[in-house]
Amino acid sequence: MEIQTNYLTVSGTEPAIPEIIYLDNNATTPLDPRVLKAMMPYLTENYANAASTHRFGVSAHEAVKQARQQVADLIGADTHEIIFTSGATEAINLAIKGVAESHSQKGKHIVTVSTEHSAILDTCRYLETKGYEVTYLPVQSDGLLDLEVVKSAIRPDTILVSVMHVNNETGVIQDIQAISKLTHAQGAIFMTDATQSVGKIPVNVDDLGIDLMTFSGHKIYGPKGIGALYIRQRQNRIKIPALIHGGGHERGLRSGTLNVPGIVGLGKACELAGNEMVENAKRIREMRDFLENELLKIEGTWINGNREKRLYNVTNIGFEGVDSEALIMGLSNPESDSPMIVVSNGSACTASRIDPSHVLIAMGLNEVRAFNCIRLSLCAFKESFCLSEIVSKISNVTTELKRFNYS
Ligand SMILES: *Cc1c(COP(=O)(O)O)cnc(C)c1O
């Protein structure tokens, strides 16, 4: 896969249309070839256990050390505040269950948001069965939290407030700085699931007042199966127990032989994301805005989520009278003259169920309208983008589906 810089040519000189136009990057991203290159030695010749004391092991340990620095640098953390896990889901479980267990003397109340990822919601629901009380905050119709509502939900027995930074379905960006302030004013711990923001917009754990933060490699052009938990050790030191016990790896918080290639890949992905963030943001935003403006010309189309406080790579868009499942199938139907376009509705983790998106329902859409919506999420690679092709195929398929609906 070649990385090119001229993405916005809409006609004429652009290269051949790829067979697959992948617009589901909030579900997972392709692996950056430069990340694969960095990982390769640790999948082949350098297979040592990073915990081994021989020289072979030390070189693997050095690679992990460098990756930990790359990850810490991206978020303004110290290296000893980074715990590698198998992904964001595991990091979320470790963080929430850990705080619940270690702070249960102070209280058993947790505050989170109705639009969170299922990893957060299901962990909280589990804790409810163990005697914890969870407040699921409502959001406004634009997906943003009302700070007054947040403030009044935090109580003296609240131990944890967990609010995602960027929503995976709509891209809506919460005011993390303000919410962490409200949390700390009540002496509670502030956590954020930053899986969709780390590497895409500046995230500094000190500036944002973050105590615990989770993120993942495969959402930022890194490999699958690797993620991290940031756990504050400077000021306001957070202590939590382990979920996985064993050899005491990762400061005793996550035992098990380290996934050296994955860790190296996450480190490289973080380094590249930091270096290329500004350029990627500008380019992807231009493409997203172009797509959105063109698609809004289709009658009965609307955008979900606050359009200003929103990540630049995603549009969650509704087409009145169009069933999103039928649209997804229609777009991914590879006809001879048009490419397969891959998009999604709702989060991938709940896609096997036929429930409407819980995020859109929480924003006040009724079921009918929630089932009209798809998510297009863009990435930094040229491969995915032939903007005019995307617009015309979506326009053709929606027209066809509407005709079918009304005939
Ligand atoms: C993808 C995602 C997760 C889960 O990450 P995994 O590394 O796949 O476990 C959690 N939260 C958000 C917001 C996500 O987008």
Side-chain angles (χ1 to χ4, degrees), residues 159-209:
I159 50 176
L160 178 70
V161 175
S162 188
V163 174
M164 75 195 315
H165 193 182
V166 169
N167 185 273
N168 46 306
E169 291 191 35
T170 60
V172 166
I173 304 173
Q174 300 293 351
D175 188 348
I176 293 301
Q177 199 172 31
I179 297 167
S180 72
K181 243 184 217 143
L182 293 174
T183 303
H184 291 145
Q186 295 279 358
I189 292 170
F190 181 75
M191 159 169 169
T192 186
D193 172 9
T195 311
Q196 294 290 350
S197 63
V198 165
K200 297 177 185 169
I201 54 176
V203 175
N204 180 293
V205 289
D206 287 341
D207 293 350
L208 297 179

Side-chain angles (χ1 to χ4, degrees), residues 2 28 51 103 105 107 125 127 156 183 361 377:
E2 204 181 311
T28 194
H103 290 72
Q105 283 98 329
R125 282 183 203 121
L127 286 173
T183 303
I361 295 293
S377 50

